[in-house]
Amino acid sequence: MAITKINNNTLSAVTTLPSAIATGKVLQVVTTPKTDRFSTSSTSYTNVTGLSVNITPSATSSKIFVMMDVVGGSGAYIAMFLRLMRDSTAIHVGTSVGNRFAATAGTGDDPSDQFPLSLTASVLDSPSSTSQITYKVQMATEASGNTGTCHINRSGEDQNNNQNGYFASSITVMEVSA
């Protein structure tokens, strides 16, 4: 890079710039924490309010590293399923076969009403876009009704005693140069 000086103390011109940013560099990080609670008894995926994040990639070649860290609980013998979304497209989910959910993470249907679980996932996504992208978490439960309710940031039981707690979840995205 060449710099021209005028009067030995003022920069007048930059004649060359680096041609490209090195690959694998983190260009931006955006995170959304969620400290309030969310519940659903829907057997279809529904958006978890407050667990979404927007990012606008600087180049179509950029990759987006997506990290989900969700604490969830459910009623006894109820399975809970989470999936990551890029706008309206599910990402980092298993293949659905028969009646099985295509999910990013989830719980079994063993008793979990007192024991919330930390459900995490990370994926390097290739959106090929320079438009704003929304990454979000969706949740579904195996059974509807009061006993089929699943929760974010609390246990299924949620009694006001020292055996229960409230928790925090988050979704974080990082743009990585490619």
Side-chain angles (χ1 to χ4, degrees):
M1 183 181 321
I3 299 174
T4 305
K5 291 185 180 181
I6 298 175
N7 299 331
N8 290 329
N9 57 9
T10 305
L11 300 179
S12 65
V14 177
T15 56
T16 60
L17 294 173
S19 60
I21 297 172
T23 60
K25 301 293 182 189
V26 174
L27 303 178
Q28 59 177 316
V29 177
V30 187
T31 189
T32 301
K34 179 174 179 61
T35 57
D36 60 340
R37 283 145 308 284
F38 176 85
S39 300
T40 187
S41 58
S42 176
T43 56
S44 299
Y45 280 110
T46 186
N47 293 336
V48 175
T49 305
L51 266 183
S52 66
V53 64
N54 296 324
I55 190 168
T56 304
S58 59
T60 57
S61 60
S62 291
K63 308 289 186 195
I64 306 296
F65 188 61
V66 184
M67 294 170 287
M68 170 188 88
D69 183 11
V70 179
V71 178
S74 63
Y77 301 102
I78 299 298
M80 176 176 63
F81 303 95
L82 301 175
R83 73 176 177 183
L84 280 172
M85 300 291 291
R86 178 197 335 112
D87 293 326
S88 61
T89 302
I91 60 170
H92 197 58
V93 295
T95 303
S96 180
V97 177
N99 293 324
R100 297 169 185 89
F101 279 86
T104 302
T107 65
D109 66 355
D110 290 333
S112 61
D113 59 335
Q114 286 184 313
F115 307 106
L117 301 171
S118 181
L119 303 167
T120 62
S122 57
V123 60
L124 189 62
D125 189 36
S126 301
S128 300
S129 176
T130 55
S131 298
Q132 179 178 285
I133 301 164
T134 300
Y135 288 94
K136 59 189 172 185
V137 177
Q138 293 184 328
M139 181 169 68
T141 179
E142 71 171 292
S144 60
N146 188 43
T147 59
T149 303
C150 292
H151 311 279
I152 300 295
N153 292 341
R154 58 162 270 206
S155 66
E157 182 181 66
D158 194 33
Q159 291 186 11
N160 186 16
N161 60 38
N162 62 3
Q163 296 175 345
N164 288 271
Y166 286 158
F167 307 93
S169 298
S170 65
I171 183 168
T172 301
V173 293
M174 294 190 289
E175 180 184 5
V176 181
S177 62

